[in-house]
């Protein structure tokens, strides 16, 4: 059975030194990019697979539904992956579907709605709905370690600290 060594939300998906560093984590042997738009665009899919292969890890790009199927049918085989998505919603769907994750790093989320999104770290905007989803994943679904960190060298901000910004 495979394992999600680290889940990460970052709108940039695979990029630069962040992925070079993260891909060297103990036990990691693959990168799963879960994004419907990228997976359905042959050029973009090839681009991300190429970028991921530069880390030395097998890189698989798939849609959310394909990722759920891959878990249901194969439990991610023997992969110990870094699972990357652009949104908290994708991670939330996967965990609620039954994909176990213990560690979730929120790296970079741009502002979408100035009325609802607040800057919670230098690189992450969050709305209350997504804050509640993270709280639920932590309290009810075994995602024990949720933190905000744009790069491995940056300081971490805890989920508790971010939830405090929403009075949660």
């Amino acid at each position: 059975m495979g394992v999600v060594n680290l889940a990460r939300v970052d709108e940039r998906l695979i990029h630069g030194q962040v992925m070079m560093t993260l891909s060297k984590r103990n036990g990691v042997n693959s990168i799963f990019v879960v994004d419907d738009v990228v997976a359905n665009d042959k050029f973009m899919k090839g681009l991300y697979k190429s970028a991921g292969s530069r880390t030395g890890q097998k890189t698989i790009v798939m849609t959310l539904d394909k990722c759920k199927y891959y878990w249901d049918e194969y439990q991610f085989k023997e992969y110990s992956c870094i699972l990357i998505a652009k949104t908290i919603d994708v991670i939330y769907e996967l965990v609620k579907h039954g994909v176990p994750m213990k560690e979730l790093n929120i790296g970079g989320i741009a502002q979408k709605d100035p009325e609802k999104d607040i800057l919670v770290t230098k690189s992450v905007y969050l709305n209350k709905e997504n804050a509640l989803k993270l709280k639920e994943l932590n309290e009810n679904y075994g995602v024990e370690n949720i933190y905000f960190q744009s790069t491995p060298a940056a300081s971490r901000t805890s989920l508790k600290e971010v939830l405090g910004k929403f009075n949660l």
Side-chain angles (χ1 to χ4, degrees):
M1 184 165 112
V3 66
V4 177
N5 188 297
L6 171 69
R8 179 172 166 91
V9 174
D10 193 322
E11 292 181 346
R12 301 166 291 180
L13 296 172
I14 297 173
H15 62 94
Q17 288 302 314
V18 172
M19 284 313 299
M20 290 302 289
T21 302
L22 293 178
S23 67
K24 304 292 185 245
R25 284 174 58 109
N26 190 30
V28 169
N29 64 12
S30 56
I31 299 169
F32 288 7
V33 176
V34 182
D35 186 81
D36 289 358
V37 173
V38 172
N40 287 313
D41 181 315
K42 187 177 180 181
F43 175 76
M44 292 301 293
K45 185 175 182 176
L47 194 64
Y48 279 102
K49 286 179 83 164
S50 173
S53 70
R54 285 188 218 126
T55 67
Q57 306 297 351
K58 177 162 179 71
T59 303
I60 300 171
V61 180
M62 60 189 127
T63 64
L64 174 59
D65 286 342
K66 179 76 173 197
C67 189
K68 289 177 181 178
Y69 172 82
Y70 198 57
W71 175 255
D72 291 344
E73 293 298 313
Y74 305 105
Q75 286 75 50
F76 293 169
K77 296 186 178 178
E78 296 303 317
Y79 290 116
S80 176
C81 70
I82 296 174
L83 190 148
I84 309 169
K86 288 183 180 178
T87 67
I88 290 168
D89 289 338
V90 168
I91 299 296
Y92 183 79
E93 286 292 317
L94 289 171
V95 172
K96 286 198 70 166
H97 184 78
V99 178
M101 299 176 197
K102 297 284 185 205
E103 184 177 353
L104 174 58
N105 167 232
I106 312 297
I109 302 174
Q111 185 178 45
K112 310 287 184 301
D113 184 344
E115 301 286 319
K116 295 180 181 177
D117 298 345
I118 66 169
L119 187 65
V120 296
T121 69
K122 285 195 287 188
S123 62
V124 176
Y125 281 88
L126 207 59
N127 60 39
K128 189 170 186 174
E129 177 185 330
N130 280 332
L132 286 167
K133 286 180 179 178
L134 292 174
K135 184 175 192 256
E136 181 182 349
L137 292 177
N138 181 246
E139 292 177 354
N140 301 328
Y141 289 93
V143 187
E144 299 166 0
N145 187 14
I146 300 175
Y147 58 92
F148 297 73
Q149 184 180 34
S150 59
T151 65
S155 61
R156 288 185 181 191
T157 303
S158 70
L159 176 62
K160 182 179 179 181
E161 188 177 337
V162 168
L163 293 178
K165 295 180 183 203
F166 293 94
N167 297 315
L168 297 174

